[in-house]
Amino acid sequence: MSQQHYATAPASTSAKAQRSDWWRDAVIYQVYPRSFADSNGDGMGDLEGVRTRLPYLRDLGVDAVWLSPFYASPQADAGYDVADYRAVDPMFGNLLDADALIRDARALGLRTIVDLVPNHSSDQHEWFKRAVAEGPGSPLRDRYHFRPGKGANGELPPNDWESIFGGPAWTRVADGEWYLHLFAPEQPDFNWDHPAVGDEFRSILRFWLDMGVDGFRIDVAHGLVKAEGLPDLGSHDQVKLLGNDVMPFFDQDGVHEIYRQWRLILDEYSGERIFVAEAWTPTIERTANYVRPDELHQAFNFQYLSTAWDAEELREVIDRTLEAMRPVGAPATWVLSNHDVTRHATRFANPPGLGTQIRTAGDRELGLRRARAATLLMLALPGSAYIYQGEELGLPDVVDLADEVRQDPAYFRGAGQDGFRDGCRVPIPWTREGSSYGFGAGGSWLPQPSEWAELSVEAQTGDPDSTLELYRTALAVRRAQPDLGAGDAVEWLRAPEGVLAFRRGEFVCVANTGRESVTIPAYGRLLLASAEVAEVDGEAKLPADTTVWWTTA
């Protein structure tokens, strides 16, 4: 007989969900505000749009919402160039809108995490504008990294560092000095050796904590401290070294003292507020340094995100992650997609790497099938998980955007990152019809493909075979199952080549990453599967690229 691949969704509340250390097994949903929902029809998402869609997130079953930057900004890098950390950019609304969003989220049982960008500011930040205007010797220049150039007339950059977006990491100002920017020239790096920088960010933390946020996702958490003397790296292909080696501008040990100071502030507030680190490090073991008991709470597991859909590779990174986090008592934090990488429904269609090109409808189907299976695997692992908006709809990257609509600064610099981040930032579809499929009344800032009508929330709601209903059911089952969520270990089970199988108490997860169906024991009552599974006489035929959940209870 054929077994339906959805069990009846259990109630969405449980004793486990009421634990105080909510962040250890939280499912956190990333909202990219400009692409989530547009309330005023200007083609750009905003905070009021997010607020109106909060019930959707509650019903999806997530625990918290992480908002990408909405601060006052010239938008040279989609808001990651902040001009005022205590103001909302008018394109997103105002501080009253932020306050209403936080309050409404709390009333719905959702926590709110906001982005914090401490590595760099906008070049339109008052500090930087004054530093440039006052010229060499200005004390304000010490809050950034201004240096004289090399060469007979200072015409060469102070060192050989390269921007993550391509090209030199230095820009020269009219008076001849150079300033450091590890990202776009509009994003000058702060000098965290200067006490005023630390004072300012401790004040910014308190401002938003007093507003009621439940935590902060720290952008470029690994980048704040630079090696003394800003030494040359000695390489001219530096982007390929990112995440593979300790570099003089990333993952310096001095960042940890900053976070110890920040943790003291967070602990002044009730309600278990948290820090989440975006920390690209050479190893999972170095990532664990950021989540020691007196520092941050979570750190994104980019090694897991970068792993291919391959059983052997996945098992290795899962084991290494759990082993690295266990000594520091932190939860593993799993993630498959975000606003900076190719969506996994596209990535898994191209097994050799992180490419963005999907060639055929068959590729799209393969990518989605693997993405669904990968999601159930991720949600079964011990710890916390992050969902990027639209992945619950099975959205792929949009790879055929015209040059004139793109806004990713890395795309125009022509080196560094691949420059295709716009493809994962296209506004999500809510309805089958309309100028932007329900995103807003005035179109969308990036064009949406016509086929997204059938990927919309409206089209998928109530369809038991849809990816949206898979996510809704998976999150409900995860919340109800006592053996899912927090923890630091899995019990691996024997399985055929290409298959991952593990037990957590009375829960069993099996994922077939291979290209052929396999026959395995039926481990109990089927809870959920990413594709149809047939069970006969105590055995289950598990198709390729499929994950299944059982309970032995």
Side-chain angles (χ1 to χ4, degrees):
M1 61 179 288
S2 177
Q3 178 75 44
Q4 291 294 321
H5 59 275
Y6 294 112
T8 301
S12 61
T13 58
S14 67
K16 182 183 72 171
Q18 306 303 316
R19 284 206 324 261
S20 59
D21 54 347
W22 65 274
W23 47 275
R24 289 190 172 275
D25 62 358
V27 176
I28 299 174
Y29 186 100
Q30 180 188 359
V31 166
Y32 195 66
R34 63 175 53 215
S35 298
F36 193 65
D38 170 19
S39 70
N40 59 10
D42 65 356
M44 184 69 65
D46 46 49
L47 295 183
E48 177 62 19
V50 177
R51 190 167 75 92
T52 63
R53 297 293 188 179
L54 288 174
Y56 165 80
L57 298 179
R58 175 202 58 196
D59 295 343
L60 182 63
V62 301
D63 301 292
V65 180
W66 153 34
L67 298 165
S68 292
F70 50 79
Y71 309 111
S73 166
Q75 305 296 321
D77 184 24
Y80 283 93
D81 51 317
V82 181
D84 187 343
Y85 290 84
R86 298 177 181 83
V88 173
D89 194 281
M91 73 162 55
F92 297 124
N94 54 45
L95 282 173
L96 292 177
D97 294 319
D99 180 70
L101 192 163
I102 294 165
R103 291 175 183 273
D104 280 11
R106 184 178 296 113
L108 291 169
L110 297 169
R111 297 176 184 263
T112 305
I113 296 169
V114 297
D115 235 309
L116 188 66
V117 188
N119 179 70
H120 48 262
S121 73
S122 166
D123 62 353
Q124 298 304 302
H125 191 287
E126 281 301 314
W127 282 8
F128 190 79
K129 290 195 296 183
R130 286 176 54 197
V132 171
E134 293 178 10
S138 166
L140 280 170
R141 290 206 172 186
D142 293 338
R143 299 180 183 184
Y144 295 90
H145 293 280
F146 279 87
R147 295 288 189 277
K150 293 181 178 180
N153 299 302
E155 71 277 10
L156 300 176
N159 68 19
D160 67 357
W161 294 0
E162 297 174 357
S163 165
I164 308 306
F165 290 163
W170 296 90
T171 290
R172 199 177 192 186
V173 296
D175 55 51
E177 286 199 330
W178 299 72
Y179 68 87
L180 176 68
H181 53 86
L182 292 180
F183 295 89
E186 297 88 351
Q187 296 169 289
D189 279 49
F190 284 116
N191 176 13
W192 273 86
D193 291 332
H194 196 291
V197 176
D199 289 346
E200 171 70 352
F201 274 90
R202 287 190 290 272
S203 174
I204 292 167
L205 288 174
R206 288 193 169 94
F207 178 88
W208 288 103
L209 289 166
D210 290 343
M211 181 80 79
V213 303
D214 294 286
F216 301 88
R217 176 265 188 185
I218 306 168
D219 184 61
V220 196
H222 54 299
L224 277 55
V225 172
K226 279 66 175 176
E228 185 175 356
L230 310 186
D232 283 342
L233 189 57
S235 169
H236 293 287
D237 199 7
Q238 297 173 16
V239 171
K240 291 184 178 179
L241 301 177
L242 296 177
N244 297 313
D245 200 358
V246 178
M247 306 175 79
F249 46 78
F250 279 162
D251 198 29
Q252 295 291 304
D253 291 339
V255 300
H256 299 291
E257 181 54 34
I258 295 170
Y259 298 136
R260 292 186 188 100
Q261 295 175 18
W262 286 14
R263 180 62 178 265
L264 294 174
I265 293 172
L266 210 65
D267 289 347
E268 295 173 8
Y269 289 79
S270 62
E272 287 213 279
R273 323 289 179 97
I274 69 166
F275 287 122
V276 184
E278 182 205 30
W280 290 86
T281 67
T283 66
I284 296 172
E285 290 74 20
R286 287 196 69 87
T287 300
N289 291 337
Y290 289 80
V291 289
R292 288 176 286 202
D294 59 346
E295 294 188 44
L296 310 179
H297 297 77
Q298 295 183 342
F300 293 124
N301 189 341
F302 292 119
Q303 285 84 1
Y304 184 76
L305 182 150
S306 301
T307 300
W309 180 239
D310 176 87
E312 185 175 347
E313 294 181 29
L314 286 164
R315 177 167 175 169
E316 179 182 359
V317 74
I318 291 167
D319 280 340
R320 286 189 59 199
T321 298
L322 297 175
E323 289 169 7
M325 296 300 154
R326 199 173 294 122
V328 296
T333 304
W334 313 100
V335 61
L336 289 168
S337 288
N338 65 35
H339 65 291
D340 278 335
V341 302
T342 304
R343 288 183 177 274
H344 61 285
T346 295
R347 199 167 70 241
F348 288 149
N350 299 293
L354 304 183
T356 59
Q357 300 303 314
I358 294 184
R359 295 169 294 279
T360 67
D363 288 338
R364 287 192 293 271
E365 293 172 4
L366 175 63
L368 178 57
R369 184 181 182 92
R370 288 176 171 171
R372 288 163 58 98
T375 294
L376 288 196
L377 174 61
M378 176 183 75
L379 293 175
L381 294 171
S384 178
Y386 279 72
I387 294 171
Y388 177 50
Q389 66 174 47
E391 72 172 74
E392 78 278 14
L393 304 177
L395 296 185
D397 265 39
V398 179
V399 300
D400 55 357
L401 292 169
D403 289 357
E404 58 267 23
V405 303
R406 292 185 178 275
Q407 298 193 25
D408 183 355
Y411 181 79
F412 297 102
R413 285 173 71 86
Q417 292 183 344
D418 63 17
F420 286 94
R421 296 182 299 172
D422 289 321
C424 67
R425 299 175 177 183
V426 175
I428 67 174
W430 293 92
T431 61
R432 281 191 170 100
E433 298 180 349
S435 65
S436 61
Y437 305 109
F439 169 68
S444 63
W445 67 281
L446 285 173
Q448 302 150 302
S450 59
E451 58 265 26
W452 278 22
E454 293 308 311
L455 296 178
S456 65
V457 173
E458 179 184 45
Q460 296 196 44
T461 295
D463 177 359
D465 294 322
S466 72
T467 300
L468 176 58
E469 294 298 348
L470 175 69
Y471 270 73
R472 286 172 170 163
T473 305
L475 293 177
V477 172
R478 187 181 191 274
R479 186 182 295 267
Q481 285 294 312
D483 293 315
L484 286 180
D488 64 3
V490 299
E491 176 192 349
W492 293 108
L493 305 174
R494 293 184 62 181
E497 183 178 357
V499 176
L500 286 173
F502 62 84
R503 183 188 302 276
R504 299 183 62 198
E506 295 177 330
F507 172 86
V508 174
C509 175
V510 181
N512 180 8
T513 71
R515 297 185 179 184
E516 304 292 337
S517 296
V518 295
T519 299
I520 58 174
Y523 283 96
R525 177 170 59 88
L526 189 146
L527 293 169
L528 188 60
S530 63
E532 191 168 298
V533 174
E535 291 187 336
V536 179
D537 297 330
E539 291 187 329
K541 186 174 184 180
L542 187 61
D545 301 312
T546 299
T547 298
V548 62
W549 291 358
W550 280 286
T551 177
T552 61

